[in-house]
Amino acid sequence: MSIVFIEYVLILLAFCLISKTTSSYRNTWRELRTSMCYSISGFNPRFFCTYEPVTDPIEIHKQKLTLWFSHLPQEERQFGGYFSPETMHVQPLILERHPDEDRGLSPFKEKTSISTRPSLTVEQLFDANNNGNKARGLNVLLYGAVGTGKSTVVRKLVLDWCAGSVFSQFKLVLPFSCEDLSHLSKPTSLRDLVGRKYMHLRKTPYLSGDYDKAKDVLFIFNGMEKMKLDFRIGSTELCSDPNEALPSGAVVVNLLRKYLLPEASILVTTRLSAVDRVPKKYINRYVQICGFNDPDRQRAYFTSRLLQQNEGKPEKAAEMLIEMLYLNLQRESQLATACFLPSYCWLTCATLHLLHFTDTKSPIRTLTGIYTSFMRLNFGGEVITVDGNVSSQEQQNSLMLYVVRTVGKLAFDGITNKRTSFSAEELEQWVGGKTKTDEELQQLAVFRTDVLDFFLVPRDYHGMDPESGGRRYVFAVPAMQEYLAALYVVLGENKSVLEKLTKEVSEALGQASEDITSLLSIISKIIPFRIFAVFNLLKLFPKLFERVSSHSKGRIANTMAAEMFRSEDSFNEDVLDQVEQSLLGVHGPQPQEETYTRAFELYPIFMGGLLHYGNRRLLDQLGCSIKSHTVSQITRALRKHLIKESQKKQPPEELMDLLVLLYEFQNPRLTAEVLQSIKTINLSTVRMTPHKCFVLSTVLSCTSSSFHLNELNLSSCHITPELLQMLWPAFHHTSNLNLQFNSLGPESCILLRDLLLEPNCTIKSIQLCDNYLTDTGISHLLEALSGNHSLQRLCLMHTGLGDRSAQLLAERLGQHEMLQELNVAYNNIGDSAALTLVDACREHPSIHTVHLYLNHLTDVGKQSLYVRGGPRVKEGRRVKVLASVTEGSDISEDWHPILSVIGKNSVSWDRGRVREQLLVFLKDLEWGRKQHQSFWKKMHFRRVESVVRQTLRLLEKSSDTGTGTGIK
């Protein structure tokens, strides 16, 4: 170590002799010292950055603000974390408008009144031309309804200032949350207040009050409605010293008075109810934020969000989604009214992400979770206040709980009576309620001004409303009515008189339990035992409350099950399609008559989702507590109802809704127990989307590895190769897999091959009819025959097979000894290949049926196939060859299955080819009938002919061209 040190000293002396200045000597010593230290310790200096650290407090401030304001909330991170405030921000409409113009009006302004005013940009808020007194900074008050984007505008403003793109006239921007300031208990000076939040600015000269340095400062106070400000001189003393300790409210008041740092500019954001807390003389400019007032702004927001998909996501699908969404907005639909508020645009995007961009890598997200997150984003931790005063009983004053007890009660009444619109009188009845005290009236006034219009929007039916009355109100998003009604029920707000009375008595006895126990112990010594027993009954009230409470939880479970399995709703579309239609509208032919009654099928699903722990945790932050023992009681009662109802045969759409309920519930044990009673999952004709496939796979993954369905029917479900990959986990729990009439291609056969080659594969039957697999796909699929030991029935009808596939089938059949039935009907197989395939089936030890009808077979070929299908001499085993309704001069014993299959699929198949084959069948039947003299034989032939003619007539009826068959 010392030798190395001596070497570096010699090098240093050599450099010193060469150097000409003292400064170069110092630099050389610094470099050598650093190099020596790194060499001795084993570090390489090339791996270290050489730039100087930032020491300017303003630059440090900008860096820290950028980090803080770029942070995305959990509600955004759950979508993959690929959003940022810069890329997804769309500037809402900002107008210069005095609040007095808005008194008593809804925040959903008429477009005519908005369009007449010029809009402002954020840069114009502090335009110097509007400042009459150049020595004083401007006070700008930005007000707007809940959800219009006040906080988002502030976030973007701060980030843009840090980047140097706006407000270059301000050298220092200091954003504060009024909610944070309201919680400060000790008096604090302005400098300490700034230094406490921004430690690097403790000694900044801009806040010293000297000269006019404060003119370069912009204060931002966000959410003034959460802070108590008192401008009366007797309550808030005047102060001009930035170093004097004052309550936080007094600091803000003196800043706005321009008594403290008068040169500084101030931006205050608030809701409409709190605008009057600042006297008009202290505000230079009132500005209203109006949200997205036109479909083009809304489309810009949706484009910025929906086009930012995870890597590998097809942008074409997102563009198509945006176009459908924009068409619905242009119709001036209910959604367009809701998307006036950027918050509802967020909810729409979040829902569409869930429905269309779910994949196997996505985190578990539920529709209930999205709506609960939406509530937390807009009302997180808020309590309903009057003039900034917060009651000590925060649980009673929780704003979200107030919403549930008023708007939720209205929503529940609407669902009970199957109504989606409400009159002004009904709003007064349910939202106003029976208020008694001045405080309650003041709270109601604040609620009506700030919050009520967030949920309910006016809607004019122009005389089409079947219910009497003029203007009516609807929920901005239809699903919101079902969410709030579900929350109202699950929170136990729908109490009977007995429940309310019992709870009050129980709480009263609980508070005085010690006193009552002491009193009863004294009375028992001086009163006869029989009389004492009467007094002792008082102790039963808490137990009575527990019984009534338990009964109440059972009633909630019963309500969920009853609403879930309503017979009148059995033929509606599944609930996820209903949600999608409410966002994208109904495209194509519109129904002639508008229906005013709708099924509230999302309502019970939301009730189940609200019981999940993740949603309960978020609701607890909102002041809406659902206890674990309550969830346990509801779950126990619900299990019985679900198992009982699930054993009944449900329509495919209702079965899909049940799977969604189990998914939203997120209770693996309950899911597994309910699925044990289901032997068949028939989702035929349900339009499967990525989210539905994810739901099905996730729900079935809750079961044990030994659980197997008799059948999983996914025919006519619009399944693509991408969706097939998502369904992979579900396929491990079925014996019969039906994938007919989907959009599978040759590449899908690779995945199906791997599925059949799984060591624990239990699939006995796989139906792939009407998927264009071609010879290439079949060659991949047949690779599984050598390694599979479960497959017994393979249906490849109308899959684009040719002679090559038939020859390959004939070669590979010997590798699989379990196959019993092979269906290659309605393909492009000729006589030679068909004969080769039948010969291979005759040699196979277990195949008993081969379907070959509707192929390119000649009469000679059909006769040869009939002969080849006869019993073998050695084994006496016969292979059924279904090639036509006739076998020679006789009727095939399998004519009915053949015509039944053709009848079911004739509409979706090539009508010309089916018609041609049916005419061939008639010709064969007519020839066979002439070969027999027996009356009964002739009658049998005529019966089969009538079925063929009936199938032809149905084909004619469904045909758009209406071509005749030429049959007499």
Side-chain angles (χ1 to χ4, degrees):
M1 186 71 68
S2 58
I3 296 176
V4 174
F5 180 79
I6 294 172
E7 289 178 354
Y8 275 100
V9 171
L10 293 175
I11 295 173
L12 172 62
L13 292 175
F15 271 102
C16 291
L17 294 173
I18 297 173
S19 63
K20 297 180 180 179
T21 63
T22 307
S23 59
S24 63
Y25 170 81
R26 290 172 180 169
N27 292 336
T28 304
W29 168 245
R30 185 183 297 112
E31 293 174 2
L32 286 174
R33 182 181 58 185
T34 305
S35 175
M36 180 175 64
C37 294
Y38 284 142
S39 300
I40 294 173
S41 58
F43 287 108
N44 191 328
R46 290 178 296 174
F47 297 140
F48 287 81
C49 298
T50 58
Y51 65 86
E52 294 291 333
V54 177
T55 57
D56 184 7
I58 301 299
E59 291 302 318
I60 295 175
H61 182 60
K62 288 183 177 180
Q63 291 179 4
K64 289 186 178 295
L65 283 183
T66 302
L67 288 174
W68 291 335
F69 281 81
S70 297
H71 176 74
L72 293 175
Q74 178 63 33
E75 285 76 9
E76 294 289 1
R77 294 201 301 272
Q78 66 178 331
F79 297 106
Y82 44 83
F83 294 132
S84 66
E86 295 81 7
T87 58
M88 68 184 182
H89 181 76
V90 175
Q91 186 71 40
L93 180 67
I94 300 176
L95 302 176
E96 186 165 8
R97 189 206 299 263
H98 198 279
D100 289 343
E101 301 177 41
D102 300 321
R103 296 304 183 192
L105 298 179
S106 167
F108 299 90
K109 305 298 175 190
E110 296 293 335
K111 292 184 180 179
T112 55
S113 65
I114 290 179
S115 59
T116 57
R117 296 173 178 269
S119 61
L120 299 174
T121 62
V122 174
E123 294 87 342
Q124 294 173 324
L125 294 180
F126 292 90
D127 194 341
N129 296 329
N130 293 311
N131 192 359
N133 188 349
K134 301 296 183 180
R136 288 192 172 191
L138 282 175
N139 288 351
V140 178
L141 191 146
L142 176 68
Y143 70 94
V146 177
T148 47
K150 300 183 294 297
S151 297
T152 304
V153 166
V154 168
R155 168 186 283 190
K156 187 65 166 56
L157 183 156
V158 172
L159 289 174
D160 286 347
W161 175 77
C162 293
S165 58
V166 297
F167 289 160
S168 57
Q169 69 268 36
F170 297 116
K171 295 181 181 179
L172 182 60
V173 172
L174 297 169
F176 287 94
S177 165
C178 289
E179 183 178 9
D180 294 342
L181 294 179
S182 67
H183 292 303
L184 294 179
S185 57
K186 296 182 179 180
T188 311
S189 68
L190 175 62
R191 290 185 67 90
D192 289 341
L193 193 65
V194 173
R196 179 175 180 175
K197 186 172 181 65
Y198 306 108
M199 184 176 63
H200 43 278
L201 297 176
R202 284 181 174 175
K203 298 180 180 180
T204 180
Y206 293 105
L207 301 177
S208 63
D210 298 335
Y211 307 106
D212 60 348
K213 290 186 177 181
K215 68 181 176 59
D216 297 325
V217 179
L218 171 64
F219 288 96
I220 299 177
F221 297 105
N222 188 32
M224 189 191 67
E225 71 277 355
K226 300 176 183 178
M227 191 174 188
K228 182 180 180 181
L229 300 180
D230 193 341
F231 283 80
R232 294 174 299 177
I233 299 294
S235 301
T236 304
E237 60 181 304
L238 297 176
C239 175
S240 60
D241 184 2
N243 298 303
E244 184 177 345
L246 294 172
S248 58
V251 172
V252 176
V253 166
N254 279 289
L255 283 170
L256 289 169
R257 283 173 175 163
K258 294 303 177 186
Y259 204 77
L260 180 62
L261 300 184
E263 303 85 6
S265 295
I266 301 173
L267 174 64
V268 176
T269 70
T270 185
R271 295 177 185 170
L272 184 58
S273 65
V275 167
D276 290 335
R277 295 184 193 171
V278 182
K280 297 177 183 178
K281 62 181 179 180
Y282 298 129
I283 299 298
N284 301 104
R285 197 175 199 182
Y286 287 96
V287 180
Q288 182 187 18
I289 183 168
C290 300
F292 300 146
N293 66 310
D294 59 80
D296 291 330
R297 282 184 196 266
Q298 296 165 1
R299 181 176 187 171
Y301 179 90
F302 292 129
T303 302
S304 67
R305 300 272 313 209
L306 294 174
L307 285 183
Q308 296 186 58
Q309 304 303 327
N310 283 325
E311 185 179 355
K313 287 287 185 184
E315 288 191 2
K316 187 175 181 181
E319 290 174 356
M320 187 179 299
L321 201 63
I322 293 170
E323 192 62 34
M324 295 172 67
L325 192 59
Y326 184 58
L327 288 174
N328 194 30
L329 295 173
Q330 284 182 314
R331 295 190 185 109
E332 296 186 358
S333 61
Q334 188 172 342
L335 178 69
T337 305
C339 288
F340 185 96
L341 298 177
S343 288
Y344 278 106
C345 291
W346 181 91
L347 180 63
T348 300
C349 281
T351 305
L352 289 174
H353 268 285
L354 180 75
L355 297 179
H356 288 273
F357 301 111
T358 298
D359 56 33
T360 53
K361 298 179 182 179
S362 299
I364 294 292
R365 291 175 294 171
T366 65
L367 196 61
T368 314
I370 287 176
Y371 273 75
T372 307
S373 298
F374 175 72
M375 293 300 179
R376 197 184 80 88
L377 278 174
N378 289 281
F379 303 107
E382 284 197 52
V383 294
I384 190 161
T385 63
V386 178
D387 295 331
N389 290 318
V390 181
S391 173
S392 59
Q393 296 178 343
E394 291 191 3
Q395 183 67 18
Q396 297 297 322
N397 291 329
S398 162
L399 180 58
M400 191 63 216
L401 193 58
Y402 195 93
V403 168
V404 173
R405 290 172 174 171
T406 52
V407 185
K409 193 174 184 179
L410 176 74
F412 175 75
D413 179 71
I415 287 180
T416 304
N417 297 291
K418 295 290 183 183
R419 289 187 296 109
T420 58
S421 66
F422 308 92
S423 65
E425 291 76 16
E426 289 168 331
L427 259 64
E428 180 63 33
Q429 175 188 357
W430 297 112
V431 178
K434 297 180 180 179
T435 54
K436 298 178 181 179
T437 65
D438 289 340
E439 183 182 359
E440 289 175 336
L441 288 171
Q442 290 174 356
Q443 287 182 351
L444 179 61
V446 172
F447 180 76
R448 282 182 176 275
T449 304
D450 290 340
V451 181
L452 185 59
D453 289 321
F454 180 79
F455 294 102
L456 293 161
V457 297
R459 181 176 179 181
D460 256 321
Y461 288 93
H462 306 293
M464 296 177 60
D465 188 7
E467 305 172 46
S468 61
R471 166 163 286 195
R472 301 183 69 83
Y473 297 85
V474 296
F475 280 86
V477 172
M480 185 60 70
Q481 180 179 356
E482 300 179 70
Y483 176 84
L484 290 177
L487 190 54
Y488 178 77
V489 173
V490 172
L491 286 174
E493 293 298 323
N494 185 32
K495 297 184 179 73
S496 64
V497 177
L498 177 61
E499 289 172 306
K500 293 179 181 178
L501 177 62
T502 311
K503 183 176 183 180
E504 291 175 1
V505 174
S506 177
E507 289 178 350
L509 290 178
Q511 294 172 1
S513 59
E514 295 183 1
D515 296 336
I516 290 177
T517 303
S518 303
L519 179 62
L520 291 178
S521 62
I522 296 171
I523 292 176
S524 62
K525 299 179 179 179
I526 58 177
I527 296 180
F529 179 77
R530 287 176 296 178
I531 300 177
F532 170 72
V534 175
F535 284 93
N536 202 38
L537 286 176
L538 292 173
K539 287 188 173 182
L540 294 179
F541 276 96
K543 295 183 178 179
L544 176 62
F545 170 66
E546 288 298 327
R547 292 183 182 180
V548 174
S549 176
S550 178
H551 176 73
S552 172
K553 306 306 181 294
R555 192 178 65 217
I556 293 174
N558 187 33
T559 301
M560 291 173 63
E563 293 289 337
M564 191 74 215
F565 299 102
R566 279 185 178 271
S567 57
E568 63 266 28
D569 298 339
S570 296
F571 300 101
N572 293 316
E573 293 181 284
D574 66 84
V575 69
L576 294 179
D577 276 354
Q578 293 177 36
V579 171
E580 182 181 284
Q581 286 182 9
S582 71
L583 301 179
L584 302 181
V586 179
H587 299 276
Q590 302 294 318
Q592 294 182 354
E593 295 183 3
E594 186 176 357
T595 176
Y596 290 94
T597 59
R598 57 177 287 251
F600 296 98
E601 296 180 291
L602 195 55
Y603 166 54
I605 291 174
F606 274 146
M607 279 194 275
L610 287 169
L611 299 177
H612 177 234
Y613 173 74
N615 291 320
R616 288 192 286 121
R617 185 181 59 186
L618 289 180
L619 287 172
D620 195 55
Q621 297 175 19
L622 294 170
C624 300
S625 179
I626 305 175
K627 302 300 182 183
S628 297
H629 68 85
T630 301
V631 177
S632 178
Q633 290 175 337
I634 295 175
T635 303
R636 281 198 301 269
L638 182 62
R639 181 186 293 108
K640 299 177 183 178
H641 291 292
L642 289 181
I643 292 176
K644 179 181 177 182
E645 294 294 335
S646 62
Q647 290 173 346
K648 303 175 184 177
K649 186 177 181 181
Q650 301 291 337
E653 292 78 11
E654 294 301 301
L655 186 55
M656 187 72 238
D657 290 349
L658 174 62
L659 296 176
V660 173
L661 170 66
L662 295 174
Y663 173 79
E664 292 280 330
F665 210 119
Q666 290 292 307
N667 186 326
R669 180 178 297 178
L670 173 68
T671 299
E673 291 180 2
V674 172
L675 289 180
Q676 286 293 336
S677 60
I678 300 177
K679 299 303 179 185
T680 299
I681 292 183
N682 179 13
L683 300 178
S684 176
T685 69
V686 171
R687 186 181 64 90
M688 296 300 286
T689 61
H691 184 61
K692 291 179 188 175
C693 293
F694 189 75
V695 166
L696 177 60
S697 295
T698 304
V699 167
L700 285 176
S701 297
C702 294
T703 59
S704 63
S705 58
S706 60
F707 170 77
H708 289 97
L709 297 165
N710 291 337
E711 181 183 12
L712 176 59
N713 188 344
L714 297 173
S715 62
S716 303
C717 291
H718 304 275
I719 295 176
T720 61
E722 293 76 19
L723 297 183
L724 195 70
Q725 181 70 45
M726 295 185 68
L727 289 167
W728 174 278
F731 295 155
H732 291 83
H733 296 276
T734 183
S735 299
N736 299 300
L737 179 60
N738 189 341
L739 293 171
Q740 299 182 105
F741 304 100
N742 283 296
S743 304
L744 304 180
E747 65 275 18
S748 303
C749 293
I750 299 175
L751 187 141
L752 294 173
R753 175 201 64 192
D754 296 340
L755 175 67
L756 292 173
L757 287 174
E758 287 281 329
N760 299 322
C761 178
T762 58
I763 295 179
K764 297 180 179 179
S765 170
I766 185 167
Q767 301 181 56
L768 297 169
C769 169
D770 273 80
N771 290 288
Y772 192 64
L773 305 180
T774 70
D775 291 340
T776 304
I778 297 304
S779 64
H780 291 309
L781 187 63
L782 294 181
E783 293 174 6
L785 292 181
S786 60
N788 179 268
H789 302 285
S790 62
L791 192 63
Q792 298 178 3
R793 183 170 181 263
L794 179 62
C795 179
L796 301 173
M797 181 169 57
H798 196 207
T799 52
L801 274 68
D803 289 344
R804 177 188 167 194
S805 293
Q807 296 283 357
L808 188 60
L809 261 171
E811 295 173 6
R812 297 284 181 89
L813 283 178
Q815 301 175 1
H816 186 78
E817 298 182 353
M818 301 294 294
L819 200 63
Q820 298 178 8
E821 185 174 356
L822 179 63
N823 189 341
V824 290
Y826 194 9
N827 281 297
N828 303 311
I829 301 175
D831 290 348
S832 177
L835 290 171
T836 304
L837 180 60
V838 171
D839 285 341
C841 292
R842 292 184 70 204
E843 297 297 326
H844 196 276
S846 58
I847 292 179
H848 56 71
T849 305
V850 183
H851 299 255
L852 282 165
Y853 44 88
L854 297 186
N855 275 294
H856 297 306
L857 302 176
T858 64
D859 291 339
V860 176
K862 292 176 186 176
Q863 184 64 28
S864 300
L865 289 173
Y866 167 68
V867 174
R868 298 287 182 92
R872 297 180 62 183
V873 178
K874 293 182 180 179
E875 302 176 6
R877 186 177 66 85
R878 182 179 179 229
V879 177
K880 285 185 182 180
V881 181
L882 308 185
S884 177
V885 293
T886 60
E887 293 179 351
S889 59
D890 292 325
I891 293 177
S892 171
E893 62 181 13
D894 298 301
W895 68 269
H896 189 274
I898 294 174
L899 292 180
S900 177
V901 171
I902 294 174
K904 290 178 181 177
N905 304 298
S906 58
V907 177
S908 60
W909 286 347
D910 181 1
R911 292 188 178 97
R913 181 169 173 180
V914 173
R915 178 176 174 273
E916 179 185 348
Q917 290 291 328
L918 290 174
L919 292 175
V920 171
F921 288 169
L922 283 178
K923 181 180 177 182
D924 293 342
L925 288 168
E926 186 177 354
W927 178 84
R929 174 163 50 82
K930 292 178 180 179
Q931 306 303 313
H932 294 278
Q933 301 297 324
S934 169
F935 173 79
W936 300 109
K937 283 280 187 180
K938 288 179 181 289
M939 289 297 294
H940 190 31
F941 271 90
R942 290 190 182 279
R943 178 191 170 198
V944 179
E945 284 181 42
S946 67
V947 177
V948 176
R949 293 178 190 276
Q950 183 181 3
T951 306
L952 276 168
R953 283 194 293 271
L954 291 174
L955 190 65
E956 266 188 340
K957 188 176 180 180
S958 62
S959 176
D960 295 332
T961 58
T963 55
T965 59
I967 305 168
K968 296 182 180 179

